[in-house]
Amino acid sequence: VDMMDSIASYSHKYSINHYETRLDFQSTALMKNNLSYGLGAILYNLNRGIVEPFGPISLRTSTDLGIEKGLELSAYLSDHFTVTERLNVDAGLRYTAFSPLGPKTVYQYEENEPRTEEYISDSLNFSNNSAIKWYHEPDIRLSFNFETDKNGSVKISFNQLHQNLFMLNNSIAIAPNTQWKLSDYHLKP
């Protein structure tokens, strides 16, 4: 290990807990349709971890990235429709409501200014498990599958999706350069 790597060395452990419940239904009563529909709920519990210096000459300072929680509620409807013997259409709509959960102190900042300490205009305090802010998004899916013959097909599809848990990447800073993050008061899905 060269000297620069040792000076910048760190350890970072995190955990992601995902608790999910779903209620799914399927209906094939219609001649050319196969309907699927249901409800879902996900509770995210993200311990973003502590970045710690690693090794005796590491210059990293210990940084606690905190704990985040979020609740996602969803309802969906999907249809697989047989138009002809060779053409199938899949269409789906999923509506999601997501909220980060407390406990949390959220800072509000002066408009059009950096989100730094000197530009804090107010703070909002949220108690344990209270909703901080709700985001509502529709997810849309549409695809066409045309069989050209028994060995080939042409497929065209469109998807518009949202995610509430994602990985932040930073290629500019030395470390930490990747972190898991939930959407929050300022960071939209």
Side-chain angles (χ1 to χ4, degrees), residues 115-157:
R115 291 188 178 151
T116 58
E117 208 171 285
E118 67 243 33
Y119 295 107
I120 294 174
S121 62
D122 198 2
S123 63
L124 306 171
N125 291 305
F126 296 91
S127 60
N128 193 35
N129 295 325
S130 63
I132 293 174
K133 184 176 189 175
W134 284 101
Y135 294 103
H136 303 270
E137 297 98 20
D139 292 339
I140 301 166
R141 181 177 49 83
L142 181 63
S143 68
F144 298 90
N145 184 5
F146 180 74
E147 274 186 47
T148 56
D149 57 36
K150 68 178 184 172
N151 296 320
S153 65
V154 175
K155 298 175 184 177
I156 299 172
S157 67

Side-chain angles (χ1 to χ4, degrees), residues 4-177:
M4 289 304 291
D5 288 339
S6 298
I7 290 171
S9 296
Y10 68 95
S11 69
H12 179 200
K13 295 178 185 173
Y14 59 87
S15 66
I16 301 172
N17 293 307
H18 171 118
Y19 305 97
E20 183 171 358
T21 185
R22 292 174 51 142
L23 188 58
D24 296 315
F25 299 96
Q26 194 163 24
S27 174
T28 55
L30 301 171
M31 194 74 120
K32 294 184 175 190
N33 295 70
N34 185 357
L35 289 175
S36 300
Y37 50 95
L39 302 170
I42 300 173
L43 176 63
Y44 296 100
N45 215 337
L46 172 61
N47 182 342
R48 296 186 63 212
I50 299 173
V51 177
E52 301 271 6
F54 185 79
I57 61 173
S58 175
L59 297 179
R60 285 291 309 175
T61 55
S62 183
T63 305
D64 187 345
L65 299 175
I67 294 174
E68 297 181 354
K69 294 187 287 185
L71 178 63
E72 179 180 305
L73 304 172
S74 63
Y76 77 92
L77 174 65
S78 179
D79 185 18
H80 177 82
F81 179 67
T82 304
V83 180
T84 68
E85 188 176 298
R86 292 183 151 192
L87 178 63
N88 294 307
V89 176
D90 281 295
L93 177 65
R94 182 176 185 260
Y95 188 79
T96 303
F98 174 80
S99 178
L101 301 175
K104 192 81 160 178
T105 298
V106 174
Y107 297 110
Q108 293 184 314
Y109 300 91
E110 294 176 22
E111 196 171 332
N112 299 320
E113 296 294 343
R115 291 188 178 151
T116 58
E117 208 171 285
E118 67 243 33
Y119 295 107
I120 294 174
S121 62
D122 198 2
S123 63
L124 306 171
N125 291 305
F126 296 91
S127 60
N128 193 35
N129 295 325
S130 63
I132 293 174
K133 184 176 189 175
W134 284 101
Y135 294 103
H136 303 270
E137 297 98 20
D139 292 339
I140 301 166
R141 181 177 49 83
L142 181 63
S143 68
F144 298 90
N145 184 5
F146 180 74
E147 274 186 47
T148 56
D149 57 36
K150 68 178 184 172
N151 296 320
S153 65
V154 175
K155 298 175 184 177
I156 299 172
S157 67
F158 169 81
N159 289 297
Q160 177 182 320
L161 307 171
H162 299 84
Q163 63 184 47
N164 301 304
L165 173 66
F166 48 93
M167 183 175 277
L168 297 174
N169 291 299
N170 182 357
S171 59
I172 297 171
I174 294 173
N177 55 12

